[in-house]
Amino acid sequence: MWTAVLLAAIGCYVLKVAGLSLPQRVLEHATVERVADLIPVALLAALVAVQVASSGPELTLDARALGLGFAVVALALRMPFLVVVVGAAVVAALARLL
Amino acid sequence: MTEADLTPSERSGIVRDSLAVGVATGAYGIGFGAVSVASGLSVAQTCVLSLLMFTGASQFALVGVVAAGGAPLSGAATALLLGTRNTLYGLRMGPLLQWRGWRRVAAAHVLIDESTAMAVNRQTTAAVRLGFVTTGASVLVLWNLATVAGALAGEAVGDPRTYGLDAAVGAAFLALLWPRLKDRRNVLVAALAAVVALTVVPLTAAGVPVLTAAGVALLVGVLARRQDPTEVPGPEDVAGGHR
């Protein structure tokens, strides 16, 4: 675990330095620019899906989906990040109690 | 971009707005600390991530993949892919900040969504620098303090299912994704990526489905024709930035 933590931490810093140091020309390549813009969208969406709807190798639907439902409503209402995240946790915890 | 000095009122306005973002984002670190420990990382590993990696989405990604049972290195790969976002921000911010040498090396550490959002639309170099540094430094300090508090609290909680901590992770990713869903192509990519990831969940080792979804970005990015501006967050897109 330490290896992964340190490798990823150093790598993320290098990516930041590279951004400040590389010439802006890099972005003029339209395909590079589009892919770079889309990567966070794809990864975050996949992380949401896997986090909420799977347990190990199985697809599951449980209290986490209710938590996510709350998050969607809270985000649509422009609530602060902390409310979105804590609210989702509370909703899921309550659903499990019932 | 001009070199004019800031008036005291401009200066205090930028500092006030930046600190508001720092406080709102920093508080969020409690969630990261708690989730990270609940995912199986130690308190020390959790704190090292906030101190050295210091980019929220990548940190949540690493612990999220580990929590789902993925290999730590798949978590690291996902974190790095998400970290490429900061490279884009750097390409935009470099010419605006106009820093070289040790200042650039130091500035790179606080090159994140929030510092970019609170600096990129300013009119002068002085204003860009002030917004960037004030936001970056306040998030850095508060995010790390909050991480320690969250990690210790998470350790006391134990099982992540207690208090719904496992549901908080999905909500955290959605909150990070949300500002990017204004664009229709992004909505399409997000939906496709979610479907692809869930489709391969039963077929592959944990951690791999999320990486597979990066293929959707690659495919759509290569096939698309329409040119669009580089997506850099604005004040509307970060916690505490919209009022």
Side-chain angles (χ1 to χ4, degrees):
Chain A
M1 183 67 75
W2 272 114
T3 315
V5 165
L6 292 174
L7 268 182
I10 294 164
C12 281
Y13 176 70
V14 169
L15 286 168
K16 292 175 182 175
V17 176
L20 284 182
S21 308
L22 288 170
Q24 222 179 356
R25 251 181 297 123
V26 178
L27 284 185
E28 283 165 22
H29 199 301
T31 306
V32 172
E33 199 270 340
R34 270 196 306 263
V35 171
D37 269 348
L38 290 174
I39 279 180
V41 175
L43 286 182
L44 289 169
L47 281 162
V48 171
V50 168
Q51 206 59 236
V52 170
S54 75
S55 296
E58 281 163 33
L59 299 182
T60 48
L61 204 60
D62 59 23
R64 288 173 293 174
L66 289 176
L68 190 72
F70 171 86
V72 170
V73 174
L75 285 166
L77 295 174
R78 309 205 53 127
M79 289 187 176
F81 276 19
L82 205 59
V83 174
V84 173
V85 175
V86 174
V90 170
V91 166
L94 286 177
R96 285 183 183 132
L97 277 179
L98 298 176
Chain B
M1 183 104 353
T2 64
E3 286 304 319
D5 280 338
L6 296 171
T7 67
S9 72
E10 282 174 320
R11 179 167 280 275
S12 62
I14 293 174
V15 168
R16 197 177 49 237
D17 289 351
S18 301
L19 289 179
V21 171
V23 170
T25 309
Y28 202 40
I30 293 180
F32 170 72
V35 163
S36 175
V37 170
S39 306
L41 277 79
S42 67
V43 173
Q45 286 162 341
T46 301
C47 292
V48 163
L49 280 179
S50 282
L51 206 56
L52 295 186
M53 183 182 279
F54 187 54
T55 173
S58 294
Q59 293 178 226
F60 266 112
L62 194 152
V63 304
V65 168
V66 171
L73 285 177
S74 331
T78 311
L80 285 171
L81 274 175
L82 271 173
T84 56
R85 188 174 86 267
N86 293 324
T87 309
L88 286 190
Y89 300 166
L91 288 168
R92 274 291 289 280
M93 294 308 299
L96 298 179
L97 289 167
Q98 295 180 30
W99 271 327
R100 322 214 145 267
W102 70 269
R103 286 172 201 276
R104 182 194 283 172
V105 171
H109 192 52
V110 293
L111 176 64
I112 53 173
D113 298 76
E114 289 78 15
S115 55
T116 302
M118 298 309 288
V120 75
N121 295 326
R122 309 252 178 231
Q123 301 303 312
T124 65
T125 305
V128 168
R129 288 176 172 178
L130 184 63
F132 183 84
V133 168
T134 315
T135 309
S138 60
V139 174
L140 179 66
V141 170
L142 294 169
W143 175 261
N144 275 284
L145 290 176
T147 299
V148 178
L152 294 175
E155 212 175 32
V157 170
D159 182 358
R161 292 168 47 88
T162 327
Y163 306 121
L165 271 182
D166 53 343
V169 187
F173 288 127
L174 186 68
L176 292 164
L177 173 63
W178 198 263
R180 296 176 183 268
L181 293 182
K182 289 172 206 154
D183 180 295
R184 276 185 63 192
R185 180 160 67 198
N186 286 3
V187 172
L188 175 77
V189 167
L192 265 177
V195 169
V196 166
L198 289 180
T199 307
V200 297
V201 157
L203 311 173
T204 59
V208 177
V210 173
L211 290 172
T212 312
V216 174
L218 194 64
L219 199 68
V220 174
V222 169
L223 294 179
R225 281 283 161 267
R226 179 164 54 92
Q227 184 69 42
D228 66 352
T230 305
E231 282 164 35
V232 170
E236 295 292 303
D237 302 325
V238 292
H242 50 76
R243 277 177 279 168

